[in-house]
Amino acid sequence: MRRLFDGLVDHAGNVAPGKVYPDRWAPIIRNGEGGPELVKARWGMPSPRSVLKTERDPGITNIRNLGSPHWRRWLGREHRCLVPLTSFSEPLGKGRGFQWFAPANDSPIFFAGIETREWTSVRKVKDGETTDDLFAFLTSPPKAEVGAIHPKAMPVILTRPEEWDAWLNGIRAEELQRPLPDGALELINEPA
């Protein structure tokens, strides 16, 4: 990450490789006081109060409707982040596992994410109230590779440094909320 972003401040430390699941901690790059910073945040933005049936909020993992008042407050530059990844998966259906996707070339890729800091909520009843930095990422209509598995949506994936900079610097979210071109992803076996 330090080679990709000039002046990146590392607050995440040595991030172990591995799979990341909802409500788990993952590295993100966000706007810090002096420039980009690498931190760990918990995957799952706050849910709208209207959908919660109890005090527990498991979080929302991805964002489709940018017009929702719930999401609009977090679409500004101060809440932008990039979520680094090497591959991602979509479920194949109950009991059938997952299909994994990776870039068709070896270029670094990021999800276009949003984040909020020091959010207090009950994520797990056994833990009680916690205060966490949270993130989620945008989705868009899918293209060929992902659409065959998950016809509703795919993550918004940014592949070029100018897209990373535009996202972190506050370009209108709708301008980058689009799928990758067909052929930009390949189906792979589950990574180790």
Side-chain angles (χ1 to χ4, degrees), residues 92-156:
L92 290 167
K94 190 171 181 156
R96 295 179 42 222
F98 296 88
Q99 175 60 62
W100 287 84
F101 302 90
N105 58 41
D106 287 335
S107 299
I109 61 173
F110 296 88
F111 289 152
I114 61 170
E115 56 96 16
T116 191
R117 301 170 196 191
E118 298 183 5
W119 187 268
T120 301
S121 63
V122 176
R123 300 292 289 227
K124 296 180 179 179
V125 173
K126 69 178 183 162
D127 295 339
E129 202 171 73
T130 61
T131 300
D132 305 302
D133 291 353
L134 306 173
F135 78 94
F137 52 83
L138 303 187
T139 62
S140 71
K143 288 296 252 179
E145 297 86 7
V146 177
I149 307 299
H150 192 272
K152 285 186 177 179
M154 69 175 285
V156 172

Side-chain angles (χ1 to χ4, degrees), residues 5 23-24 56 61 86-87 113 157 177-178 190:
F5 296 91
D23 202 35
R24 303 270 175 85
R56 181 180 173 272
T61 58
T86 55
S87 61
I157 299 172
Q177 190 183 29
R178 44 72 183 136
E190 182 173 351

Side-chain angles (χ1 to χ4, degrees), residues 8-76:
L8 181 70
V9 177
D10 184 352
H11 295 294
N14 217 1
V15 178
K19 298 175 189 155
V20 176
Y21 296 98
D23 202 35
R24 303 270 175 85
W25 295 89
I28 64 170
I29 296 171
R30 67 185 186 189
N31 291 310
E33 287 184 26
E37 61 183 14
L38 180 67
V39 299
K40 291 181 187 173
R42 200 171 187 170
W43 185 7
M45 286 290 283
S47 303
R49 280 268 174 236
S50 62
V51 303
L52 297 176
K53 298 188 181 0
T54 67
E55 182 184 6
R56 181 180 173 272
D57 180 0
I60 303 286
T61 58
N62 56 61
I63 298 106
R64 291 184 196 158
N65 181 5
L66 300 182
S68 163
H70 181 72
W71 298 121
R72 280 196 307 254
R73 62 182 152 167
W74 288 309
L75 293 178

